[in-house]
Amino acid sequence: MEKLKQVLSPEEIQEKVKELAEKIENDFKGEPLVFIGTLKGAFIFLADLVRNVKNSPVEIDFIRAKSYGMSDTSSEEVIITKDVELSLEGKNVILVEDIVDTGITLKFLKEHLKLHNPKVVKICALIDKKERRKEEVELDYVGFVIEKGFLVGYGLDFAEKYRYLPGVYEIIK
Ligand code: IMP
Ligand code: MG
């Protein structure tokens, strides 16, 4: 069993998610939005985010990418194992990611979504983990910046464990 240390409380996450939703709504001035969650990690963040959108029409879809590598490191090769199903033509797309590490997955997914001819693609990430960044991707909406560590909870897993926890924890080795 791993030892966990809390880094984000459920309360501070909820407060931040509300702020992010308000900021996105204001920026798009009530225009319709399509939120696309990256499976599996972003499912809880996406669910909370869209429930804080009060005045803009919202559509929801998911995309799933797989990167090859060890269970706790990210590697270079990305493939899409589940694509979006909604039409994105001319739409305002918000790509919702749980955590950005090397940036390789997001850079790939953003380029991929652009092939669906949306009006715009913006990125909303709960956590920006900067230490191992390899690809520069512009993060339009960021919840928390955390320098390093392997994090679990609020959708994030370690070997499929801990996703259900309402806070975010660092695994202490
Ligand atoms: P990237 O391509 O290196 O940016 O990988 C991002 C993906 O790796 C995230 O969407 C997560 O699925 C996974 N990941 C990266 N860091 C962590 C972490 O600290 N905890 C859990 N998953 C992580
Ligand atoms: Mg992910």
Side-chain angles (χ1 to χ4, degrees):
M1 211 45 186
E2 296 78 24
K3 261 178 76 179
L4 304 183
K5 183 182 122 203
Q6 184 174 284
V7 292
L8 300 172
S9 70
E11 295 73 24
E12 64 187 309
I13 293 171
Q14 291 307 321
E15 203 173 305
K16 186 67 78 176
V17 170
K18 190 161 175 268
E19 265 173 42
L20 288 171
E22 282 170 5
K23 184 148 201 315
I24 292 169
E25 270 200 286
N26 284 337
D27 289 354
F28 285 89
K29 301 180 170 61
E31 284 181 32
L33 302 167
V34 186
F35 287 84
I36 299 180
T38 58
L39 292 171
K40 299 179 201 173
F43 81 112
I44 291 180
F45 179 36
L46 179 102
D48 284 343
L49 196 61
V50 296
R51 282 181 293 178
N52 279 288
V53 173
K54 303 297 179 201
N55 300 305
S56 315
V58 166
E59 289 181 292
I60 294 164
D61 207 342
F62 293 94
I63 193 165
R64 184 160 194 196
K66 187 172 168 173
S67 59
Y68 288 99
M70 318 274 287
S71 61
D72 66 347
T73 60
S74 303
S75 65
E76 321 281 325
E77 187 95 16
V78 185
I79 57 163
I80 290 183
T81 57
K82 187 224 163 290
D83 205 348
V84 285
E85 292 165 34
L86 290 176
S87 164
L88 303 182
E89 184 86 38
K91 292 183 180 167
N92 299 312
V93 171
I94 313 292
L95 178 57
V96 180
E97 173 69 306
D98 45 358
I99 184 165
V100 190
D101 186 15
T102 64
I104 291 169
T105 308
L106 260 192
K107 186 171 171 106
F108 183 89
L109 287 180
K110 187 170 181 182
E111 290 309 312
H112 175 78
L113 288 179
K114 285 187 187 163
L115 302 175
H116 289 259
N117 295 320
K119 181 174 171 191
V120 66
V121 181
K122 298 285 184 189
I123 294 176
C124 177
L126 179 72
I127 298 170
D128 178 3
K129 192 168 78 172
K130 291 191 177 294
E131 191 193 36
R132 305 195 309 146
R133 192 67 34 85
K134 288 186 190 153
E135 292 283 359
E136 278 319 312
V137 276
E138 192 181 336
L139 306 178
D140 303 285
Y141 305 96
V142 173
F144 302 93
V145 176
I146 294 178
E147 279 306 316
K148 57 186 178 190
F150 198 84
L151 307 174
V152 297
Y154 200 69
L156 296 165
D157 75 308
F158 172 66
E160 294 304 325
K161 292 185 290 186
Y162 310 122
R163 289 193 198 275
Y164 60 92
L165 298 174
V168 170
Y169 298 80
E170 182 180 353
I171 293 191
I172 308 296
K173 296 261 165 76

